[in-house]
mmCIF file of all heavy atoms in Angstrom:
data_model
loop_
_atom_site.group_PDB
_atom_site.id
_atom_site.type_symbol
_atom_site.label_atom_id
_atom_site.label_comp_id
_atom_site.label_asym_id
_atom_site.label_seq_id
_atom_site.Cartn_x
_atom_site.Cartn_y
_atom_site.Cartn_z
ATOM 1 N N ALA A 1446 -47.186 -48.828 146.376
ATOM 2 C CA ALA A 1446 -45.992 -48.247 145.748
ATOM 3 C C ALA A 1446 -45.340 -49.210 144.752
ATOM 4 O O ALA A 1446 -44.296 -48.896 144.180
ATOM 5 C CB ALA A 1446 -44.988 -47.835 146.819
ATOM 6 N N ASN A 1447 -45.955 -50.381 144.572
ATOM 7 C CA ASN A 1447 -45.422 -51.410 143.673
ATOM 8 C C ASN A 1447 -44.001 -51.831 144.077
ATOM 9 O O ASN A 1447 -43.115 -51.958 143.236
ATOM 10 C CB ASN A 1447 -45.475 -50.953 142.206
ATOM 11 C CG ASN A 1447 -45.342 -52.123 141.251
ATOM 12 O OD1 ASN A 1447 -45.636 -53.263 141.611
ATOM 13 N ND2 ASN A 1447 -44.869 -51.847 140.048
ATOM 14 N N LEU A 1448 -43.830 -52.059 145.382
ATOM 15 C CA LEU A 1448 -42.519 -52.431 145.921
ATOM 16 C C LEU A 1448 -42.522 -53.828 146.535
ATOM 17 O O LEU A 1448 -41.727 -54.121 147.418
ATOM 18 C CB LEU A 1448 -42.069 -51.395 146.957
ATOM 19 C CG LEU A 1448 -41.783 -50.001 146.416
ATOM 20 C CD1 LEU A 1448 -41.479 -49.034 147.555
ATOM 21 C CD2 LEU A 1448 -40.634 -50.030 145.407
ATOM 22 N N GLY A 1449 -43.431 -54.691 146.074
ATOM 23 C CA GLY A 1449 -43.449 -56.062 146.572
ATOM 24 C C GLY A 1449 -44.340 -56.217 147.782
ATOM 25 O O GLY A 1449 -45.339 -55.522 147.934
ATOM 26 N N ASP A 1450 -43.939 -57.134 148.670
ATOM 27 C CA ASP A 1450 -44.734 -57.383 149.869
ATOM 28 C C ASP A 1450 -43.836 -57.696 151.050
ATOM 29 O O ASP A 1450 -42.614 -57.802 150.905
ATOM 30 C CB ASP A 1450 -45.769 -58.495 149.632
ATOM 31 C CG ASP A 1450 -45.170 -59.853 149.328
ATOM 32 O OD1 ASP A 1450 -44.140 -60.211 149.930
ATOM 33 O OD2 ASP A 1450 -45.735 -60.566 148.492
ATOM 34 N N ILE A 1451 -44.452 -57.850 152.201
ATOM 35 C CA ILE A 1451 -43.705 -58.048 153.445
ATOM 36 C C ILE A 1451 -42.871 -59.328 153.413
ATOM 37 O O ILE A 1451 -41.761 -59.354 153.931
ATOM 38 C CB ILE A 1451 -44.663 -58.007 154.660
ATOM 39 C CG1 ILE A 1451 -43.888 -57.898 155.980
ATOM 40 C CG2 ILE A 1451 -45.617 -59.197 154.654
ATOM 41 C CD1 ILE A 1451 -44.767 -57.619 157.189
ATOM 42 N N GLY A 1452 -43.395 -60.378 152.776
ATOM 43 C CA GLY A 1452 -42.661 -61.639 152.707
ATOM 44 C C GLY A 1452 -41.407 -61.555 151.847
ATOM 45 O O GLY A 1452 -40.431 -62.253 152.099
ATOM 46 N N GLU A 1453 -41.439 -60.713 150.833
ATOM 47 C CA GLU A 1453 -40.250 -60.505 150.005
ATOM 48 C C GLU A 1453 -39.214 -59.661 150.732
ATOM 49 O O GLU A 1453 -38.019 -59.940 150.669
ATOM 50 C CB GLU A 1453 -40.636 -59.812 148.688
ATOM 51 C CG GLU A 1453 -41.490 -60.668 147.790
ATOM 52 C CD GLU A 1453 -42.106 -59.896 146.633
ATOM 53 O OE1 GLU A 1453 -41.970 -58.657 146.555
ATOM 54 O OE2 GLU A 1453 -42.744 -60.562 145.807
ATOM 55 N N MET A 1454 -39.680 -58.638 151.437
ATOM 56 C CA MET A 1454 -38.760 -57.734 152.128
ATOM 57 C C MET A 1454 -38.214 -58.351 153.421
ATOM 58 O O MET A 1454 -37.058 -58.134 153.767
ATOM 59 C CB MET A 1454 -39.463 -56.411 152.420
ATOM 60 C CG MET A 1454 -38.524 -55.339 152.936
ATOM 61 S SD MET A 1454 -39.313 -53.714 153.029
ATOM 62 C CE MET A 1454 -39.174 -53.195 151.321
ATOM 63 N N PHE A 1455 -39.063 -59.130 154.102
ATOM 64 C CA PHE A 1455 -38.685 -59.720 155.394
ATOM 65 C C PHE A 1455 -39.058 -61.202 155.407
ATOM 66 O O PHE A 1455 -39.989 -61.614 156.110
ATOM 67 C CB PHE A 1455 -39.396 -58.993 156.539
ATOM 68 C CG PHE A 1455 -39.152 -57.522 156.552
ATOM 69 C CD1 PHE A 1455 -40.118 -56.646 156.063
ATOM 70 C CD2 PHE A 1455 -37.961 -57.001 157.028
ATOM 71 C CE1 PHE A 1455 -39.905 -55.280 156.051
ATOM 72 C CE2 PHE A 1455 -37.731 -55.635 157.027
ATOM 73 C CZ PHE A 1455 -38.704 -54.771 156.534
ATOM 74 N N PRO A 1456 -38.358 -62.046 154.652
ATOM 75 C CA PRO A 1456 -38.753 -63.460 154.554
ATOM 76 C C PRO A 1456 -38.657 -64.194 155.900
ATOM 77 O O PRO A 1456 -37.745 -63.941 156.695
ATOM 78 C CB PRO A 1456 -37.758 -64.040 153.541
ATOM 79 C CG PRO A 1456 -36.620 -63.085 153.487
ATOM 80 C CD PRO A 1456 -37.155 -61.744 153.880
ATOM 81 N N ASN A 1457 -39.613 -65.110 156.118
ATOM 82 C CA ASN A 1457 -39.590 -65.876 157.368
ATOM 83 C C ASN A 1457 -38.519 -66.963 157.350
ATOM 84 O O ASN A 1457 -38.336 -67.650 158.343
ATOM 85 C CB ASN A 1457 -40.972 -66.454 157.690
ATOM 86 C CG ASN A 1457 -41.452 -67.450 156.663
ATOM 87 O OD1 ASN A 1457 -40.734 -67.810 155.740
ATOM 88 N ND2 ASN A 1457 -42.694 -67.879 156.816
ATOM 89 N N THR A 1458 -37.805 -67.080 156.257
ATOM 90 C CA THR A 1458 -36.670 -68.004 156.180
ATOM 91 C C THR A 1458 -35.383 -67.352 156.678
ATOM 92 O O THR A 1458 -34.370 -68.030 156.840
ATOM 93 C CB THR A 1458 -36.476 -68.479 154.731
ATOM 94 O OG1 THR A 1458 -36.333 -67.332 153.886
ATOM 95 C CG2 THR A 1458 -37.656 -69.327 154.266
ATOM 96 N N ASP A 1459 -35.417 -66.054 156.923
ATOM 97 C CA ASP A 1459 -34.256 -65.307 157.394
ATOM 98 C C ASP A 1459 -34.309 -65.233 158.921
ATOM 99 O O ASP A 1459 -35.239 -64.655 159.491
ATOM 100 C CB ASP A 1459 -34.265 -63.913 156.779
ATOM 101 C CG ASP A 1459 -33.039 -63.093 157.126
ATOM 102 O OD1 ASP A 1459 -32.293 -63.454 158.069
ATOM 103 O OD2 ASP A 1459 -32.821 -62.054 156.454
ATOM 104 N N GLN A 1460 -33.325 -65.795 159.579
ATOM 105 C CA GLN A 1460 -33.295 -65.815 161.044
ATOM 106 C C GLN A 1460 -33.234 -64.406 161.640
ATOM 107 O O GLN A 1460 -33.602 -64.205 162.795
ATOM 108 C CB GLN A 1460 -32.120 -66.662 161.543
ATOM 109 C CG GLN A 1460 -32.331 -68.154 161.352
ATOM 110 C CD GLN A 1460 -33.589 -68.646 162.045
ATOM 111 O OE1 GLN A 1460 -33.802 -68.437 163.238
ATOM 112 N NE2 GLN A 1460 -34.465 -69.293 161.287
ATOM 113 N N ALA A 1461 -32.792 -63.426 160.863
ATOM 114 C CA ALA A 1461 -32.763 -62.043 161.345
ATOM 115 C C ALA A 1461 -34.169 -61.531 161.628
ATOM 116 O O ALA A 1461 -34.347 -60.580 162.392
ATOM 117 C CB ALA A 1461 -32.073 -61.138 160.330
ATOM 118 N N ASN A 1462 -35.186 -62.156 161.026
ATOM 119 C CA ASN A 1462 -36.564 -61.733 161.223
ATOM 120 C C ASN A 1462 -37.276 -62.488 162.339
ATOM 121 O O ASN A 1462 -38.425 -62.182 162.643
ATOM 122 C CB ASN A 1462 -37.340 -61.863 159.908
ATOM 123 C CG ASN A 1462 -36.786 -60.940 158.854
ATOM 124 O OD1 ASN A 1462 -36.378 -59.827 159.138
ATOM 125 N ND2 ASN A 1462 -36.745 -61.420 157.620
ATOM 126 N N LEU A 1463 -36.602 -63.451 162.952
ATOM 127 C CA LEU A 1463 -37.185 -64.224 164.044
ATOM 128 C C LEU A 1463 -37.437 -63.301 165.243
ATOM 129 O O LEU A 1463 -36.511 -62.682 165.766
ATOM 130 C CB LEU A 1463 -36.270 -65.374 164.450
ATOM 131 C CG LEU A 1463 -36.794 -66.318 165.526
ATOM 132 C CD1 LEU A 1463 -38.065 -67.020 165.055
ATOM 133 C CD2 LEU A 1463 -35.735 -67.345 165.888
ATOM 134 N N GLY A 1464 -38.703 -63.163 165.633
ATOM 135 C CA GLY A 1464 -39.061 -62.324 166.768
ATOM 136 C C GLY A 1464 -38.965 -60.829 166.479
ATOM 137 O O GLY A 1464 -39.103 -60.019 167.394
#
Side-chain angles (χ1 to χ4, degrees):
N1447 198 23
L1448 294 174
D1450 64 38
I1451 193 170
E1453 293 168 354
M1454 189 171 279
F1455 304 101
N1457 63 5
T1458 55
D1459 184 345
Q1460 287 302 306
N1462 296 323
L1463 184 62

